[in-house]
Amino acid sequence: MNILANVKPREEKTILSDEESVQAFQLGDEVAFNLLVKKYEYLVCSKVKVYFLLGGDREDLLQEAKLGLYKAARDFRIEGKSSFRGFAELCITRQLITAIKAGNRQKHSPLNNALSLNISRNSKRAEDDITLMEILPHPQTVCPEKAAVESENKRERTNLARNIISHRTKRICPIHEWTNIYANL
């Protein structure tokens, strides 16, 4: 008794050209792309050996090169006059160069090199040590110097507003409102 009566026997693997594999991948065949990855693994590795990524390792470059191969398979057009191999080399090289340029820009270095405020100051004694966040003053804390300067600025704004506004305006609108309006301007 055959349990797998409704299962079709597996078809023999036919060897597809690169262009046919790419076309199959573009139509949704994941197996075709896996075959391309296996076939072009030597190309990917040989391209990665030439480049160096500051702050990264070989695996990062390998991933970028595979991403370049994926983009090549996704964007390749059979109508063109180039072969897939040449197009894949170009895409892999460009992807690697782009990744290296992005890594050299140091765009995210402030985040990567930042010091966490939630770690303890002294990691040797974690039980009685306080974090850096606990050392910082509360944002609502008033600094005496700032309070004195702000008080002086308010007094100057009030005097300036008294000199600018007319007698009639003084009767209509109290001076504290004009001081606030002038300060906002």
Side-chain angles (χ1 to χ4, degrees):
M1 180 173 169
N2 189 356
I3 297 175
L4 304 173
N6 293 332
V7 177
K8 295 179 182 176
R10 191 171 196 183
E11 295 179 16
E12 287 293 319
K13 288 186 181 178
T14 58
I15 299 175
L16 300 175
S17 70
D18 293 344
E19 287 75 14
E20 292 170 339
S21 295
V22 168
Q23 194 172 21
F25 167 67
Q26 289 174 350
L27 294 173
D29 187 3
E30 297 290 327
V31 176
F33 180 69
N34 291 336
L35 291 173
L36 281 173
V37 169
K38 286 179 185 174
K39 183 173 183 179
Y40 284 98
E41 189 171 4
Y42 74 95
L43 177 67
V44 168
C45 291
S46 66
K47 290 286 185 181
V48 167
K49 288 179 186 177
V50 178
Y51 296 100
F52 174 74
L53 180 63
L54 186 65
D57 58 355
R58 186 172 182 272
E59 289 296 319
D60 294 333
L61 285 176
L62 202 59
Q63 287 290 7
E64 290 294 330
K66 287 180 181 178
L67 182 61
L69 181 62
Y70 172 79
K71 288 179 179 181
R74 181 191 66 193
D75 297 336
F76 183 72
R77 299 289 169 245
I78 297 173
E79 299 86 29
K81 297 187 186 230
S82 66
S83 67
F84 176 73
R85 186 181 192 287
F87 186 69
E89 278 188 57
L90 181 69
C91 288
I92 291 168
T93 304
R94 286 183 179 172
Q95 186 69 32
L96 287 171
I97 291 171
T98 302
I100 291 169
K101 283 183 180 179
N104 289 339
R105 264 197 310 255
Q106 302 288 324
K107 179 178 176 181
H108 300 291
S109 66
L111 289 175
N112 295 337
N113 298 329
L115 178 65
S116 174
L117 296 177
N118 292 323
I119 60 169
S120 61
R121 257 188 335 173
N122 195 358
S123 61
K124 296 175 186 170
R125 296 178 305 158
E127 64 274 353
D128 59 354
D129 206 13
I130 58 175
T131 64
L132 294 173
M133 186 63 108
E134 294 168 346
I135 295 172
L136 294 174
H138 192 272
Q140 300 297 326
T141 305
V142 178
C143 180
E145 297 90 16
K146 283 185 179 180
V149 169
E150 185 59 37
S151 174
E152 186 177 332
N153 287 342
K154 185 176 181 181
R155 198 173 329 109
E156 287 177 9
R157 285 192 306 261
T158 304
N159 290 334
L160 187 61
R162 281 188 183 137
N163 294 335
I164 292 175
I165 60 175
S166 67
H167 180 68
R168 180 182 292 170
T169 310
K170 288 180 186 177
R171 284 186 290 148
I172 296 171
C173 186
I175 191 71
H176 69 275
E177 290 179 14
W178 278 103
T179 305
N180 291 336
I181 291 171
Y182 183 76
N184 290 335
L185 292 176

Coordinates of all heavy atoms in Angstrom, one line a residue, residues 95-145:
Q95 N 27.8 47.3 -4.3 CA 27.3 47.1 -3.0 C 28.4 47.1 -1.9 O 28.2 47.7 -0.9 CB 26.5 45.8 -2.9 CG 25.7 45.6 -1.6 CD 24.6 46.6 -1.5 OE1 23.9 47.0 -2.5 NE2 24.3 47.0 -0.3
L96 N 29.5 46.5 -2.2 CA 30.6 46.5 -1.3 C 31.2 47.9 -1.1 O 31.4 48.3 0.0 CB 31.7 45.5 -1.7 CG 31.3 44.0 -1.6 CD1 32.4 43.2 -2.2 CD2 31.2 43.6 -0.1
I97 N 31.4 48.6 -2.2 CA 31.9 49.9 -2.1 C 30.9 50.9 -1.4 O 31.4 51.7 -0.5 CB 32.2 50.5 -3.5 CG1 33.4 49.7 -4.1 CG2 32.5 52.0 -3.5 CD1 33.7 50.0 -5.5
T98 N 29.7 50.7 -1.6 CA 28.7 51.5 -0.9 C 28.7 51.2 0.6 O 28.6 52.2 1.4 CB 27.3 51.3 -1.5 OG1 27.3 51.5 -2.9 CG2 26.2 52.1 -0.8
A99 N 28.8 50.0 1.0 CA 28.9 49.6 2.4 C 30.1 50.2 3.1 O 30.1 50.7 4.2 CB 28.8 48.1 2.5
I100 N 31.2 50.1 2.3 CA 32.5 50.6 2.9 C 32.4 52.2 3.1 O 32.8 52.7 4.1 CB 33.7 50.2 2.1 CG1 33.9 48.7 2.2 CG2 35.0 50.9 2.4 CD1 34.8 48.1 1.2
K101 N 31.9 52.8 2.1 CA 31.7 54.3 2.2 C 30.8 54.7 3.3 O 31.0 55.6 4.0 CB 31.2 54.9 0.9 CG 32.2 55.0 -0.2 CD 31.6 55.6 -1.5 CE 32.7 55.7 -2.6 NZ 32.1 56.3 -3.8
A102 N 29.7 53.9 3.5 CA 28.8 54.2 4.6 C 29.4 54.0 5.9 O 29.2 54.7 6.9 CB 27.5 53.3 4.4
G103 N 30.3 52.9 6.0 CA 31.0 52.7 7.2 C 32.0 53.7 7.6 O 32.3 54.0 8.7
N104 N 32.6 54.3 6.5 CA 33.7 55.3 6.7 C 33.1 56.7 7.1 O 33.8 57.5 7.6 CB 34.6 55.4 5.5 CG 35.5 54.2 5.4 OD1 35.7 53.5 6.3 ND2 35.9 54.0 4.2
R105 N 31.8 56.9 6.8 CA 31.2 58.1 7.1 C 31.1 58.4 8.6 O 30.9 59.5 9.0 CB 29.8 58.2 6.5 CG 29.7 58.8 5.2 CD 28.3 59.2 4.8 NE 27.4 58.2 4.9 CZ 26.8 57.5 4.0 NH1 27.2 57.7 2.7 NH2 26.0 56.5 4.2
Q106 N 31.1 57.3 9.4 CA 31.0 57.4 10.8 C 29.7 58.1 11.2 O 29.6 58.8 12.2 CB 32.2 58.2 11.4 CG 33.5 57.6 11.1 CD 33.8 56.3 11.9 OE1 33.3 56.2 13.0 NE2 34.4 55.4 11.3
K107 N 28.6 57.9 10.5 CA 27.3 58.5 10.7 C 26.8 58.2 12.1 O 26.2 59.0 12.8 CB 26.4 58.2 9.6 CG 25.0 58.7 9.8 CD 24.1 58.3 8.6 CE 22.7 58.8 8.7 NZ 21.9 58.4 7.6
H108 N 26.9 56.9 12.5 CA 26.4 56.4 13.7 C 27.4 56.3 14.8 O 27.1 55.7 15.8 CB 25.7 55.1 13.5 CG 24.6 55.1 12.5 ND1 23.4 55.8 12.7 CD2 24.5 54.6 11.2 CE1 22.6 55.7 11.6 NE2 23.3 55.0 10.7
S109 N 28.6 56.9 14.6 CA 29.6 56.7 15.7 C 29.2 57.4 17.0 O 29.6 56.8 18.1 CB 30.9 57.3 15.2 OG 30.9 58.6 15.0
P110 N 28.5 58.5 17.0 CA 28.1 59.0 18.4 C 27.2 58.0 19.1 O 27.3 57.9 20.3 CB 27.3 60.3 18.0 CG 27.8 60.7 16.7 CD 28.2 59.5 16.0
L111 N 26.3 57.3 18.4 CA 25.5 56.3 19.1 C 26.3 55.1 19.5 O 26.1 54.5 20.6 CB 24.4 55.8 18.2 CG 23.3 56.9 18.0 CD1 22.3 56.3 17.0 CD2 22.6 57.2 19.3
N112 N 27.3 54.7 18.6 CA 28.1 53.5 18.9 C 29.1 53.7 20.0 O 29.4 52.8 20.8 CB 28.8 53.0 17.7 CG 27.8 52.5 16.6 OD1 26.7 52.2 16.9 ND2 28.3 52.6 15.4
N113 N 29.5 55.0 20.2 CA 30.5 55.3 21.2 C 29.9 55.9 22.4 O 30.7 56.4 23.3 CB 31.6 56.2 20.6 CG 32.3 55.5 19.5 OD1 32.5 54.3 19.4 ND2 32.8 56.3 18.5
A114 N 28.6 56.0 22.5 CA 28.0 56.7 23.6 C 28.1 55.9 24.9 O 28.2 54.7 24.9 CB 26.5 57.0 23.3
L115 N 28.1 56.6 26.0 CA 28.2 56.0 27.3 C 26.8 56.0 27.9 O 26.0 56.9 27.9 CB 29.1 56.9 28.2 CG 29.2 56.4 29.7 CD1 30.0 55.1 29.7 CD2 30.0 57.5 30.4
S116 N 26.4 54.8 28.3 CA 25.1 54.6 28.9 C 25.0 55.3 30.3 O 25.9 55.1 31.1 CB 24.7 53.1 29.0 OG 23.5 53.0 29.7
L117 N 23.9 56.0 30.6 CA 23.8 56.6 31.9 C 23.2 55.6 32.9 O 23.0 56.0 34.1 CB 22.9 57.8 31.7 CG 23.5 58.9 30.9 CD1 22.4 60.1 30.7 CD2 24.8 59.4 31.4
N118 N 22.8 54.5 32.5 CA 22.1 53.5 33.4 C 23.1 52.5 33.9 O 22.6 51.5 34.5 CB 20.9 52.9 32.7 CG 19.8 53.9 32.5 OD1 19.6 54.7 33.3 ND2 19.2 53.8 31.3
I119 N 24.3 52.6 33.6 CA 25.3 51.6 34.2 C 25.9 52.2 35.4 O 25.9 53.4 35.6 CB 26.4 51.2 33.1 CG1 27.2 52.5 32.7 CG2 25.8 50.5 31.9 CD1 28.5 52.2 32.0
S120 N 26.4 51.4 36.3 CA 27.0 51.9 37.5 C 28.4 52.5 37.3 O 29.1 52.1 36.3 CB 27.1 50.7 38.6 OG 27.9 49.7 38.1
R121 N 28.7 53.4 38.1 CA 30.0 54.1 37.9 C 31.1 53.2 38.2 O 32.1 53.2 37.5 CB 30.1 55.2 39.0 CG 29.9 56.6 38.5 CD 30.2 57.6 39.5 NE 30.1 57.2 40.8 CZ 30.4 57.8 41.9 NH1 30.9 59.0 41.7 NH2 30.3 57.4 43.1
N122 N 31.0 52.3 39.2 CA 32.1 51.4 39.5 C 31.5 50.0 39.4 O 30.7 49.6 40.3 CB 32.5 51.7 40.9 CG 33.9 51.1 41.2 OD1 34.4 50.3 40.4 ND2 34.4 51.3 42.4
S123 N 31.9 49.3 38.4 CA 31.3 47.9 38.2 C 31.8 46.9 39.2 O 31.3 45.8 39.2 CB 31.6 47.5 36.7 OG 33.0 47.4 36.6
K124 N 32.8 47.2 40.0 CA 33.3 46.2 41.0 C 32.3 46.0 42.1 O 32.2 44.9 42.6 CB 34.6 46.7 41.5 CG 35.7 46.8 40.5 CD 37.0 47.4 41.1 CE 38.0 47.7 40.0 NZ 39.1 48.4 40.4
R125 N 31.6 47.0 42.5 CA 30.7 46.9 43.6 C 29.3 47.3 43.2 O 28.9 48.5 43.3 CB 31.1 47.7 44.8 CG 32.4 47.3 45.4 CD 32.8 48.2 46.6 NE 32.8 49.6 46.1 CZ 32.7 50.6 47.0 NH1 32.6 50.4 48.2 NH2 32.7 51.8 46.5
A126 N 28.6 46.4 42.6 CA 27.3 46.8 42.0 C 26.2 47.0 43.1 O 25.2 47.7 42.8 CB 26.8 45.7 41.0
E127 N 26.3 46.4 44.3 CA 25.3 46.5 45.2 C 25.1 47.8 45.9 O 24.0 48.3 46.1 CB 25.4 45.4 46.3 CG 26.7 45.6 47.2 CD 27.9 45.0 46.6 OE1 27.8 44.3 45.6 OE2 29.0 45.2 47.2
D128 N 26.2 48.6 46.1 CA 26.0 49.9 46.7 C 26.4 51.1 45.8 O 26.5 52.2 46.2 CB 26.8 50.0 48.0 CG 28.3 49.7 47.8 OD1 28.7 49.4 46.7 OD2 29.0 49.9 48.8
D129 N 26.6 50.8 44.5 CA 27.0 51.8 43.6 C 25.8 52.5 43.0 O 24.8 51.8 42.7 CB 27.9 51.2 42.5 CG 28.9 52.2 41.9 OD1 29.0 53.3 42.5 OD2 29.5 51.9 40.9
I130 N 25.9 53.7 42.6 CA 24.8 54.5 42.0 C 25.2 54.6 40.5 O 26.3 54.6 40.1 CB 24.6 55.8 42.7 CG1 25.9 56.7 42.6 CG2 24.1 55.6 44.1 CD1 25.7 58.1 43.1
T131 N 24.1 54.8 39.7 CA 24.3 55.0 38.3 C 24.6 56.4 38.0 O 24.3 57.3 38.8 CB 23.0 54.5 37.5 OG1 21.9 55.4 37.9 CG2 22.7 53.1 37.8
L132 N 25.1 56.7 36.8 CA 25.3 58.1 36.4 C 24.1 58.9 36.2 O 24.1 60.1 36.5 CB 26.1 58.0 35.0 CG 27.5 57.4 35.0 CD1 28.0 57.3 33.6 CD2 28.4 58.2 35.9
M133 N 23.0 58.2 35.9 CA 21.7 58.9 35.8 C 21.3 59.5 37.2 O 20.7 60.6 37.2 CB 20.6 58.0 35.3 CG 19.3 58.7 35.0 SD 19.4 59.9 33.8 CE 18.6 59.1 32.4
E134 N 21.6 58.8 38.3 CA 21.2 59.3 39.6 C 22.1 60.5 40.0 O 21.7 61.3 40.9 CB 21.4 58.2 40.6 CG 20.4 57.1 40.4 CD 20.6 55.8 41.2 OE1 21.8 55.7 41.7 OE2 19.8 54.9 41.3
I135 N 23.3 60.6 39.4 CA 24.2 61.7 39.8 C 23.7 63.1 39.1 O 23.9 64.1 39.7 CB 25.6 61.4 39.4 CG1 26.1 60.2 40.2 CG2 26.5 62.6 39.5 CD1 27.4 59.7 39.7
L136 N 23.2 63.0 37.9 CA 22.8 64.2 37.2 C 21.7 64.9 37.9 O 20.8 64.3 38.5 CB 22.3 63.8 35.8 CG 23.4 63.2 34.9 CD1 22.7 62.8 33.6 CD2 24.4 64.2 34.6
P137 N 21.7 66.2 37.9 CA 20.6 67.0 38.5 C 19.3 66.8 37.8 O 19.3 66.6 36.6 CB 21.1 68.5 38.4 CG 22.0 68.5 37.3 CD 22.6 67.1 37.2
H138 N 18.2 67.0 38.5 CA 16.9 67.0 37.9 C 16.7 68.1 36.9 O 17.1 69.2 37.2 CB 15.8 67.0 39.0 CG 14.5 66.6 38.5 ND1 13.6 67.6 38.0 CD2 13.8 65.4 38.5 CE1 12.5 67.0 37.6 NE2 12.6 65.7 37.9
P139 N 16.0 67.9 35.8 CA 15.9 69.0 34.8 C 15.1 70.2 35.3 O 15.2 71.3 34.8 CB 15.2 68.3 33.6 CG 15.0 66.9 33.9 CD 15.5 66.6 35.3
Q140 N 14.2 70.0 36.3 CA 13.4 71.1 36.8 C 14.1 71.9 37.8 O 13.6 72.9 38.3 CB 12.1 70.5 37.4 CG 11.2 69.8 36.4 CD 10.8 70.7 35.2 OE1 10.5 71.9 35.4 NE2 10.7 70.1 34.0
T141 N 15.3 71.5 38.2 CA 16.1 72.2 39.2 C 16.5 73.6 38.7 O 17.0 73.7 37.6 CB 17.4 71.4 39.6 OG1 17.0 70.1 40.0 CG2 18.2 72.1 40.7
V142 N 16.2 74.6 39.5 CA 16.5 76.0 39.1 C 17.9 76.4 39.5 O 18.3 76.2 40.7 CB 15.5 77.0 39.7 CG1 15.8 78.4 39.3 CG2 14.1 76.6 39.3
C143 N 18.7 76.8 38.6 CA 20.1 77.3 38.8 C 20.0 78.7 39.3 O 19.3 79.5 38.7 CB 20.9 77.1 37.6 SG 22.6 77.6 37.7
P144 N 20.7 79.0 40.4 CA 20.6 80.4 40.9 C 21.1 81.5 39.9 O 20.5 82.6 39.9 CB 21.5 80.4 42.2 CG 21.7 79.0 42.5 CD 21.5 78.2 41.3
E145 N 22.1 81.2 39.2 CA 22.6 82.1 38.2 C 21.5 82.4 37.1 O 21.3 83.6 36.7 CB 23.9 81.6 37.5 CG 25.1 81.4 38.4 CD 25.1 80.0 39.0 OE1 24.4 79.1 38.5 OE2 25.8 79.9 40.0

